[in-house]
Amino acid sequence: MPDPSQVIPRTALPHDVLRAALGALEAGRRVVIASVVARHGSAPSTPGQKLCLFDDLTAIGTIGGGAVERAALGMMARALDELASTPRLETFRLGPSLGMCCGGSVEILIEPMMPAVHALVIGAGHVGAFAAPLLASLGFRVTLCDARVAAADPARVPPPLPLAGALPAHDGAPREAGTAPGEQVRLVLADHDDPEVMAGMPRDLGEAAALVMTHDHGLDQAAIEWALARGFGYVGGVGSRAKAARTRARLEAKGVPESDVARVRMPVGVDIGARTPAEISVALAAELVAWRAGRQRARWSPVVTAQAGEEQAG
């Protein structure tokens, strides 16, 4: 990987920088954007200028070039490696510390941005129909699949709630819930391993989640094995503790590596005493949010769905 201080960004206007950043995020890549917020005194930077650093340490745009830009690129590169990194405003004084004599200062907002996490929900039964739109409302990119025609009926899956209230359309009228970009659930009439299910999923499935909740125990087992083999970063299943034990025993009997068997979260979810499909959906969504944030802790025990939860999945 190149030294970030040696990166020479490709020249681009601010709107092109934002377009390139959005394209990278859509492709599942991490980016950091630097924006000039203010300039005081003599300085080469202009408010509104933007610079984007991609996860391969290539860059586009400019925030004034020279020592300020090199220093900012170093901070941006570090932000790429910090999972919990948050936006911060940095002040650069154009004096001896930067080898400059302009005498002014520049305020630059550095914003790390993570792509939306993809979640594949396998099974559009009672829990799946609740869980998929809930996850979409929480910012996940959700694919819901089921090979049963009746189960994959769009009328069974409510629209996701908007992420932050009703979003205005271009004409000023409010959008209805679930119509904002990126909030829709992609519903696919297919088995989990059919090619159309994987369309639009990121190339690196280590950054994606697979949640298994079909109507059939054998299909659940096959879907979990498939998700582990494909390399999904998170693999969870709805079911009782007894079913979880049988699932793990079958994985071990088939020679699945112990490290993969240990990755299966089953019963899935945070322990909130969930019983109904809606409650189980809240529990599993909470655990998935924690996984996305990198804050999941061993002290969080799986949700106790019992046999009722297992039956609700179908």
Side-chain angles (χ1 to χ4, degrees):
M1 298 290 281
D3 179 349
S5 67
Q6 302 302 313
V7 172
I8 300 178
R10 178 164 60 87
T11 303
L13 295 172
H15 63 273
D16 291 320
V17 173
L18 292 175
R19 187 177 293 115
L22 179 59
L25 290 168
E26 293 282 347
R29 300 175 59 191
R30 293 173 294 129
V31 304
V32 178
I33 295 178
S35 304
V36 179
V37 175
R39 176 183 63 194
H40 306 283
S42 178
S45 305
T46 301
Q49 287 181 314
K50 295 185 182 299
L51 172 67
C52 178
L53 182 67
F54 303 98
D55 53 9
D56 61 356
L57 292 189
T58 59
I60 181 174
T62 182
I63 50 175
V68 171
E69 194 159 283
R70 287 196 300 272
L73 282 167
M75 292 183 176
M76 295 166 75
R78 288 192 292 274
L80 279 173
D81 294 329
E82 299 172 4
L83 291 178
S85 184
T86 56
R88 62 181 185 269
L89 188 64
E90 297 285 348
T91 299
F92 295 85
R93 303 190 184 283
L94 282 58
S97 63
L98 289 177
M100 301 180 70
C101 57
C102 299
S105 65
V106 179
E107 294 179 30
I108 296 176
L109 178 64
I110 297 179
E111 297 179 277
M113 296 186 178
M114 300 289 287
V117 173
H118 289 253
L120 172 60
V121 179
I122 302 172
H126 296 297
V127 176
F130 270 94
L134 175 58
L135 290 169
S137 298
L138 294 169
F140 291 87
R141 292 210 166 175
V142 182
T143 297
L144 173 63
C145 69
D146 201 306
R148 300 173 295 169
V149 174
D153 181 357
R156 295 186 59 254
V157 183
L161 295 172
L163 292 177
L167 298 178
H170 289 298
D171 59 4
R175 282 195 183 98
E176 294 182 358
T179 60
E183 291 182 17
Q184 293 290 356
V185 173
R186 188 171 72 95
L187 181 60
V188 183
L189 176 62
D191 284 316
H192 60 272
D193 55 355
D194 287 339
E196 56 265 40
V197 171
M198 296 304 296
M201 297 289 287
R203 286 177 294 180
D204 181 7
L205 292 176
E207 302 297 324
L211 295 162
V212 179
M213 50 194 79
T214 80
H215 60 290
D216 180 83
H217 287 203
L219 186 55
D220 279 352
Q221 184 77 32
I224 288 173
E225 292 175 13
W226 170 85
L228 289 172
R230 290 301 299 262
F232 278 86
Y234 180 102
V235 180
V238 171
S240 67
R241 293 187 183 280
K243 179 179 176 181
R246 290 194 298 271
T247 298
R248 293 188 175 94
R250 292 188 183 107
L251 291 172
E252 292 168 353
K254 290 191 174 184
V256 175
E258 183 178 344
S259 58
D260 277 347
V261 176
R263 291 200 302 113
V264 178
R265 298 289 298 173
M266 186 177 189
V268 66
V270 176
D271 187 357
I272 59 173
R275 300 288 297 184
T276 69
E279 291 172 345
I280 295 169
S281 298
V282 169
L284 68 85
E287 184 170 292
L288 208 56
V289 167
W291 173 76
R292 180 176 63 181
R295 298 172 182 165
Q296 191 169 2
R297 298 290 185 266
R299 68 174 183 271
W300 291 10
S301 59
V303 63
V304 181
T305 57
Q307 187 64 30
E310 181 178 344
E311 294 168 354
Q312 294 284 7

